[in-house]
């Protein structure tokens, strides 16, 4: 497992979230000023300096539930509100899109190009807001400083870590099904055509060499696909042509997007539910939540005149039906936490702490410095 995976996972999932929200805000004819405020508020929160400092520290990936909680909070960082079914659908679309992109990366290093495609689109969302644009540009620099020196082996480990995180997610998405890149069981179809990884040759030739290193013969064989040579490598600079389209906005053309639970996913989730063994990373995971969520500056709830609800379904009826049909073990309640010293925040944090704390008494010496979450959150 790579300890440098979390920033890439967060930025790419965040980019996909912004694509989806932008499309739905336009589809529901939300006034331009409100839509702009939502996008700006979420991007400002996403690239908050204090938050990114915690995010870029070397650390293992944590559970899907912990990461989902962070995105729940991020999605509600403005005047927009999502109910449970829409939040579930949003997270499903985010995760399946990025899983597809990771699977299709020709080289492990190209995951960074996918990340830059997301960053380029986010920059475009805030191109008229210099203060937020500054935050985005600083994140580019952090990404380059952290990942540019890495070897191919380092990126392969990151790719494996991401695939392990996504391995039990097989949610069917209408766009992928219509484009025939996903099967009815929720698994993706890998192409047998297109450019090979940059710096490699099209398969189909066997070369035989003599002891002195001279080529003596050449054999051809069928490679079973229609491959071509990659003409150039994508740019890893702040500005440049990324070449790959992975990570760009697939919702730029208006098309309805639906998600469906596959039988494989339900079986996997039920198996996960039965396994109730204590998580050895429970305390560390809770501390991660405290630090990350403490760094998120979320706008206080407004009033009925400014807040609005966004529906990721065609209508309210579909949204209600989706909530009833979704298996309970696959839906995470939207946890709203405010890092303040009021009783409500303390109660919410105590509830989360109860969910993560291992059973049995722990000696005081075994407690880490971040165990007192209420004190930590109050101090941020």
């Amino acid at each position: 497992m790579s300890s440098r995976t979390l920033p890439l996972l967060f930025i790419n999932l965040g980019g996909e979230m912004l694509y989806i929200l932008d499309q739905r805000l336009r589809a529901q004819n939300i006034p331009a000023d409100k839509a702009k405020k939502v996008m700006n508020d979420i991007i400002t929160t996403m690239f908050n300096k204090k938050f990114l400092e915690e995010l870029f520290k070397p650390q293992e990936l944590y559970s899907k539930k912990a990461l989902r909680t962070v995105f729940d909070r991020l999605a509600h960082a403005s005047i927009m509100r999502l109910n449970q079914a829409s939040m579930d659908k949003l997270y499903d679309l985010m995760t399946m899109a990025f899983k597809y992109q990771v699977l299709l990366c020709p080289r492990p290093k190209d995951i960074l190009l996918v990340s830059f495609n997301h960053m380029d689109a986010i920059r475009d969302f805030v191109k008229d807001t210099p203060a937020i644009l500054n935050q985005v540009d600083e994140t580019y620099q952090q990404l380059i400083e952290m990942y540019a020196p890495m070897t191919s082996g380092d990126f392969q480990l990151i790719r494996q870590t991401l695939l392990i995180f996504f391995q039990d997610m097989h949610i069917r998405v209408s766009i992928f099904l219509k484009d025939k890149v996903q099967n009815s069981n929720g698994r993706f179809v890998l192409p047998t055509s297109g450019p090979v990884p940059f710096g490699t040759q099209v398969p189909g030739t066997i070369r035989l060499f003599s002891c002195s290193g001279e080529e003596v013969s050449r054999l051809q064989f069928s490679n079973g696909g229609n491959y071509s040579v990659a003409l150039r490598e994508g740019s890893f600079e702040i500005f440049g042509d990324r070449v790959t389209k992975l990570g760009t906005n697939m919702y730029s053309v208006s098309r309805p997007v639906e998600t469906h639970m596959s039988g494989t996913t339900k079986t996997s989730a039920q198996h996960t539910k039965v396994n109730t063994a204590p998580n050895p990373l429970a305390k560390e995971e809770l501390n991660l939540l405290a630090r990350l969520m403490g760094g998120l500056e979320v706008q206080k709830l407004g009033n009925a005149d400014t807040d609005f609800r966004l529906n990721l379904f065609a209508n309210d009826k579909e949204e209600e039906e989706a909530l009833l049909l979704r298996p309970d073990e696959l839906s995470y309640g939207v946890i709203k936490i405010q890092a303040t010293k009021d009783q409500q925040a303390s109660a919410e944090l105590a509830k989360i702490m109860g969910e993560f704390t291992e059973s049995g008494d722990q000696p005081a010496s075994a407690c880490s410095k971040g165990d007192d979450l209420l004190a930590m959150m109050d101090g941020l």
Side-chain angles (χ1 to χ4, degrees), residues 19-46:
Y19 292 162
I20 298 162
L21 293 180
D22 175 62
Q23 190 270 339
R24 292 311 301 163
L25 288 166
R26 285 185 280 108
Q28 289 189 212
N29 297 317
I30 301 299
D33 58 333
K34 285 191 174 183
K36 185 72 172 174
K37 177 174 175 55
V38 168
M39 298 297 284
N40 284 353
D41 287 347
I42 291 176
I43 294 171
T44 300
T45 305
M46 184 175 169

Side-chain angles (χ1 to χ4, degrees), residues 150-168:
M150 286 191 175
T151 65
S152 296
D154 293 330
F155 278 107
Q156 175 61 13
L157 193 56
I158 288 174
R159 184 176 185 273
Q160 287 178 339
T161 305
L162 287 170
L163 291 176
I164 290 170
F165 180 83
F166 288 127
Q167 68 179 351
D168 293 325

Side-chain angles (χ1 to χ4, degrees), residues 77-201:
S78 187
I79 56 176
M80 179 190 70
R81 299 290 167 254
L82 297 171
N83 77 3
Q84 182 67 54
S86 284
M87 189 65 222
D88 285 340
K89 180 175 179 178
L90 174 63
Y91 194 69
D92 288 345
L93 290 171
M94 291 159 50
T95 51
M96 292 307 290
F98 185 43
K99 177 181 180 179
Y100 176 68
Q101 292 156 14
V102 173
L103 282 170
L104 260 66
C105 277
R107 304 173 300 173
K109 186 179 181 180
D110 290 338
I111 292 172
L112 191 53
L113 291 177
V114 174
S115 306
F116 283 148
N117 270 336
H118 283 116
M119 291 290 294
D120 293 344
I122 293 170
R123 179 209 288 272
D124 194 54
F125 283 136
V126 295
K127 61 185 177 185
D128 300 324
T129 315
I132 309 176
L133 196 59
N134 245 354
Q135 290 178 263
V136 177
D137 286 343
E138 286 177 11
T139 308
Y140 271 108
Q141 293 291 354
Q142 286 179 283
L143 285 171
I144 291 170
E145 288 173 11
M146 176 177 284
Y147 296 102
M150 286 191 175
T151 65
S152 296
D154 293 330
F155 278 107
Q156 175 61 13
L157 193 56
I158 288 174
R159 184 176 185 273
Q160 287 178 339
T161 305
L162 287 170
L163 291 176
I164 290 170
F165 180 83
F166 288 127
Q167 68 179 351
D168 293 325
M169 298 182 181
H170 306 297
I171 299 158
R172 291 174 292 166
V173 178
S174 61
I175 285 182
F176 295 141
L177 292 169
K178 289 173 185 174
D179 292 343
K180 301 187 184 303
V181 298
Q182 190 179 31
N183 291 326
S184 58
N185 62 2
R187 297 182 184 275
F188 289 113
V189 179
L190 299 182
T192 55
S193 62
V196 295
F198 180 79
T200 62
Q201 298 176 341

Side-chain angles (χ1 to χ4, degrees), residues 65-66 68-70 72-74 76 84 87 289 293 332-338 348-349 351-352 355-356:
K65 184 170 184 177
R68 164 63 190 265
T69 303
V70 173
D72 280 339
R73 185 174 174 87
L74 185 60
H76 293 89
Q84 182 67 54
M87 189 65 222
L289 275 176
M293 297 172 77
Y332 303 113
V334 178
I335 303 171
K336 298 179 181 178
I337 301 175
Q338 297 186 28
E348 288 286 356
L349 280 171
K351 181 181 177 183
I352 296 179
E355 291 177 1
F356 281 104

Side-chain angles (χ1 to χ4, degrees), residues 7 38 48 84 89 131 152 174 219 225 228 249 252 261 265 274 276 310 360 380:
V38 168
N48 173 276
Q84 182 67 54
K89 180 175 179 178
S152 296
S174 61
L219 302 173
S228 59
N249 191 351
S252 53
M261 305 310 303
T265 307
V274 172
T276 57
L310 190 70
L380 289 172

